[in-house]
Amino acid sequence: MPELRWALIIAGGYAAGAVGSVLGVPSPYLLASLLVGSVLALSGRVRDRLPGPANRTSQALVGALMGSHLTSSALMAAAPSALPLTAVTAATIGLSVAIAWFLARKGRISRPSAVLGMMPGGSAGIVTCADELKADVRLVAFNQYLRVGLVATTAPLLAHWMAGGSSSGPVGGGPGSWPGHGLFHLVAGPDQLTGLLTLAAVSVAGVLAGRRLRLPTPALIGPMLIALVATMSGVIPAFAPTGILQDVVFVLVGMDVGVRFTRDTLRRVRGLLPSILAAMTAVCLGCAGMAWIFARATGTPLMDAYLATTPGGINAVLAAAVSSHGDVALVSTVQSLRLLVVMLVTPMIIRRLTPDRPKLAGTTAPAGDRSRVRR
């Protein structure tokens, strides 16, 4: 039975993620399941995509998780720095788009794939909308998760070095401080049944609203916006997926991407790796420079400014902020606001840069279409 087969594959991806978590792998469930899916696809054991209902469910839950990151207390804490935060967010996105445009011209990558691959934040969300925006989801995933791995690996070390072993702000107040991720703790907050029902309602309502409003990737952005409104209202019980449920969602996202990898894709990515690494380095250095400017302009400790402006990897960054006693409220607010803006403006940026989107579904275009790609 296909359902049983997929259940076993997903269970294998979860087990691999658990091992990765023990070993300290960044974003373990997402990256490990992506690796498992890739191995199965490359070996020919899996030839089809993740079932549609599972894929749509994972998109809706990722959207709800994204929208739940913003809280009233976090926004109040960041309010005095609203103007610099807005400028840094816009500059980060602008820098990423500019580098992606250059990468598309020099690296034989289509503009949708380059832009989505370089977008700072929301890796799971960006990957889920890659298909609809006519990008090469395998290349986008490779870029996004490579960047997340680099950020997750370097952020704790740099944060510790910048902090100098001292505390620079309050601990708690953000999503990274949710307590009690036990075996049956599936959503944030103590009331699990109410939280799960609220999560289901937010997800279903978001998907329906996204389709009604004709939003790009409605199964993702619709729940994200509904979750944002629900979180900001302050009267809805905590519903963000956490613990095992969050891990399973990331397994589904990673598996859906992994089963798309082929030998041809890996050969193509290998040839582009120097260009991709150079582009990522430029984005990371640019964000570090903006962190320094933001710290000087607002009096924010450099460590907090750096963690707030790193290009993505929000879960790993929040963990680094907690472990280094950083200002979790500030870091989570800046990262979440940028994530929200990225998810909303990316489709518009893609459309502006690629007026002939239907012709741009790969990393390269046929010889006769390259003039259109680079127009």
Side-chain angles (χ1 to χ4, degrees):
M1 294 177 60
E3 294 81 4
L4 177 60
R5 181 167 172 265
W6 272 110
L8 292 174
I9 292 173
I10 292 169
Y14 185 90
V19 173
S21 179
V22 172
L23 297 176
V25 175
S27 302
Y29 290 95
L30 197 152
L31 293 175
S33 60
L34 191 154
L35 178 61
V36 169
S38 301
V39 171
L40 292 175
L42 287 169
S43 65
R45 297 182 181 274
V46 172
R47 300 180 184 276
D48 50 354
R49 295 273 301 279
L50 190 71
N55 186 33
R56 289 189 292 272
T57 299
S58 67
Q59 287 192 48
L61 293 179
V62 168
L65 176 63
M66 290 176 174
S68 68
H69 272 290
L70 290 178
T71 63
S72 299
S73 59
L75 287 177
M76 289 293 293
S81 303
L83 184 59
L85 289 179
T86 302
V88 167
T89 298
T92 302
I93 296 174
L95 173 66
S96 301
V97 172
I99 292 175
W101 180 85
F102 182 80
L103 181 63
R105 288 184 62 88
K106 302 297 183 182
R108 307 184 311 280
I109 304 174
S110 72
R111 287 180 185 173
S113 299
V115 171
L116 289 175
M118 288 295 117
M119 273 296 169
S123 299
I126 289 292
V127 170
T128 58
C129 71
D131 257 349
E132 186 167 326
L133 296 174
K134 306 302 179 185
D136 186 334
V137 67
R138 297 158 296 185
L139 182 59
V140 171
F142 179 83
N143 289 359
Q144 285 286 335
Y145 300 146
L146 178 59
R147 192 197 67 245
V148 168
L150 292 173
V151 170
T153 302
T154 59
L157 297 175
L158 289 174
H160 178 75
W161 173 70
M162 292 178 185
S166 64
S167 174
S168 63
V171 177
S177 60
W178 293 333
H181 292 177
L183 180 62
F184 299 105
H185 199 97
L186 304 179
V187 294
D191 191 339
Q192 293 298 286
L193 179 59
T194 303
L196 286 170
L197 292 175
T198 302
L199 175 61
V202 166
S203 300
V204 172
V207 172
L208 294 176
R211 290 175 178 172
R212 186 66 179 268
L213 297 174
R214 298 183 178 179
L215 296 174
T217 58
L220 177 76
I221 296 183
M224 181 175 68
L225 295 178
I226 296 294
L228 171 62
V229 173
T231 301
M232 294 299 296
S233 70
V235 299
I236 305 297
F239 60 86
T242 190
I244 292 177
L245 179 58
Q246 184 185 99
D247 296 337
V248 170
V249 170
F250 287 159
V251 167
L252 292 175
V253 173
M255 190 67 66
D256 182 56
V257 174
V259 296
R260 307 181 194 212
F261 279 84
T262 64
R263 292 185 179 92
D264 179 65
T265 298
L266 293 183
R267 284 195 297 267
R268 188 173 299 174
V269 169
R270 183 179 60 185
L272 297 171
L273 188 57
S275 299
I276 291 172
L277 286 176
M280 286 184 183
T281 300
V283 171
C284 291
L285 290 176
C287 289
M290 283 183 274
W292 183 83
I293 295 173
F294 176 75
R296 297 277 293 182
T298 63
T300 302
L302 180 59
M303 181 196 73
D304 294 334
Y306 172 76
L307 291 176
T309 56
T310 55
I314 185 170
N315 291 331
V317 168
L318 290 178
V322 171
S323 62
S324 58
H325 307 290
D327 189 340
V328 179
L330 174 67
V331 174
S332 64
T333 299
V334 178
Q335 289 279 349
S336 298
L337 279 174
R338 189 183 64 203
L339 184 152
L340 177 63
V341 173
V342 163
M343 292 306 303
L344 291 176
V345 305
T346 295
M348 294 183 286
I349 293 173
I350 295 291
R351 293 188 181 100
R352 290 296 300 270
L353 292 178
T354 56
D356 295 331
R357 284 195 311 132
K359 297 181 181 296
L360 302 173
T363 56
T364 60
D369 290 338
R370 288 179 182 170
S371 60
R372 293 188 180 96
V373 172
R374 300 185 178 181
R375 207 165 38 184

mmCIF file of all heavy atoms in Angstrom, residues 65 70 84 92 107 110 123 128 200 242 246 317 360:
data_model
loop_
_atom_site.group_PDB
_atom_site.id
_atom_site.type_symbol
_atom_site.label_atom_id
_atom_site.label_comp_id
_atom_site.label_asym_id
_atom_site.label_seq_id
_atom_site.Cartn_x
_atom_site.Cartn_y
_atom_site.Cartn_z
ATOM 1 N N LEU A 65 3.104 28.199 12.125
ATOM 2 C CA LEU A 65 4.286 28.360 12.968
ATOM 3 C C LEU A 65 4.943 29.710 12.730
ATOM 4 O O LEU A 65 5.332 30.404 13.682
ATOM 5 C CB LEU A 65 5.273 27.229 12.680
ATOM 6 C CG LEU A 65 6.615 27.279 13.409
ATOM 7 C CD1 LEU A 65 6.402 27.181 14.916
ATOM 8 C CD2 LEU A 65 7.534 26.172 12.930
ATOM 9 N N LEU A 70 5.372 36.167 16.176
ATOM 10 C CA LEU A 70 5.233 37.561 16.579
ATOM 11 C C LEU A 70 4.239 37.677 17.729
ATOM 12 O O LEU A 70 3.113 37.215 17.641
ATOM 13 C CB LEU A 70 4.754 38.418 15.404
ATOM 14 C CG LEU A 70 5.766 38.620 14.287
ATOM 15 C CD1 LEU A 70 5.161 39.436 13.164
ATOM 16 C CD2 LEU A 70 7.009 39.317 14.815
ATOM 17 N N PRO A 84 15.129 51.951 12.581
ATOM 18 C CA PRO A 84 16.333 51.209 12.177
ATOM 19 C C PRO A 84 16.041 49.767 11.790
ATOM 20 O O PRO A 84 16.669 49.230 10.865
ATOM 21 C CB PRO A 84 17.223 51.283 13.422
ATOM 22 C CG PRO A 84 16.750 52.463 14.180
ATOM 23 C CD PRO A 84 15.283 52.532 13.925
ATOM 24 N N THR A 92 18.564 44.268 3.997
ATOM 25 C CA THR A 92 18.929 42.857 3.897
ATOM 26 C C THR A 92 18.269 42.194 2.695
ATOM 27 O O THR A 92 18.915 41.459 1.939
ATOM 28 C CB THR A 92 18.537 42.112 5.184
ATOM 29 O OG1 THR A 92 19.187 42.730 6.305
ATOM 30 C CG2 THR A 92 18.942 40.658 5.111
ATOM 31 N N GLY A 107 26.031 32.835 -13.013
ATOM 32 C CA GLY A 107 26.104 31.461 -12.572
ATOM 33 C C GLY A 107 25.194 30.485 -13.280
ATOM 34 O O GLY A 107 24.992 29.382 -12.802
ATOM 35 N N SER A 110 18.469 30.428 -13.130
ATOM 36 C CA SER A 110 17.329 31.275 -13.454
ATOM 37 C C SER A 110 17.087 32.261 -12.313
ATOM 38 O O SER A 110 17.434 32.003 -11.156
ATOM 39 C CB SER A 110 16.066 30.437 -13.681
ATOM 40 O OG SER A 110 15.590 29.907 -12.464
ATOM 41 N N SER A 123 13.316 29.300 5.415
ATOM 42 C CA SER A 123 13.766 28.253 4.492
ATOM 43 C C SER A 123 12.649 27.298 4.118
ATOM 44 O O SER A 123 12.421 27.017 2.942
ATOM 45 C CB SER A 123 14.925 27.465 5.116
ATOM 46 O OG SER A 123 16.014 28.303 5.360
ATOM 47 N N THR A 128 8.723 25.590 0.042
ATOM 48 C CA THR A 128 7.385 25.128 -0.303
ATOM 49 C C THR A 128 6.754 25.952 -1.422
ATOM 50 O O THR A 128 5.877 25.451 -2.131
ATOM 51 C CB THR A 128 6.447 25.176 0.923
ATOM 52 O OG1 THR A 128 6.397 26.499 1.440
ATOM 53 C CG2 THR A 128 6.921 24.221 1.996
ATOM 54 N N ALA A 200 -5.683 23.625 14.273
ATOM 55 C CA ALA A 200 -6.455 23.097 13.142
ATOM 56 C C ALA A 200 -7.349 24.175 12.548
ATOM 57 O O ALA A 200 -7.447 24.313 11.320
ATOM 58 C CB ALA A 200 -7.289 21.902 13.600
ATOM 59 N N THR A 242 4.975 22.508 18.156
ATOM 60 C CA THR A 242 6.238 22.395 18.853
ATOM 61 C C THR A 242 6.524 20.922 19.125
ATOM 62 O O THR A 242 5.707 20.055 18.810
ATOM 63 C CB THR A 242 6.210 23.196 20.175
ATOM 64 O OG1 THR A 242 7.511 23.262 20.735
ATOM 65 C CG2 THR A 242 5.264 22.564 21.180
ATOM 66 N N GLN A 246 6.178 19.662 15.517
ATOM 67 C CA GLN A 246 7.024 20.533 14.699
ATOM 68 C C GLN A 246 8.079 19.721 13.966
ATOM 69 O O GLN A 246 8.361 19.968 12.792
ATOM 70 C CB GLN A 246 7.689 21.587 15.566
ATOM 71 C CG GLN A 246 8.510 22.601 14.778
ATOM 72 C CD GLN A 246 9.248 23.561 15.692
ATOM 73 O OE1 GLN A 246 10.439 23.396 15.954
ATOM 74 N NE2 GLN A 246 8.543 24.548 16.190
ATOM 75 N N VAL A 317 19.131 30.504 15.532
ATOM 76 C CA VAL A 317 19.512 31.819 16.041
ATOM 77 C C VAL A 317 18.864 32.077 17.396
ATOM 78 O O VAL A 317 19.501 32.595 18.324
ATOM 79 C CB VAL A 317 19.129 32.911 15.027
ATOM 80 C CG1 VAL A 317 19.249 34.294 15.660
ATOM 81 C CG2 VAL A 317 20.025 32.822 13.802
ATOM 82 N N LEU A 360 10.769 29.755 -17.142
ATOM 83 C CA LEU A 360 11.941 29.800 -16.287
ATOM 84 C C LEU A 360 11.925 28.701 -15.238
ATOM 85 O O LEU A 360 12.285 28.908 -14.107
ATOM 86 C CB LEU A 360 11.996 31.163 -15.565
ATOM 87 C CG LEU A 360 12.037 32.354 -16.504
ATOM 88 C CD1 LEU A 360 11.909 33.643 -15.716
ATOM 89 C CD2 LEU A 360 13.305 32.365 -17.320
#
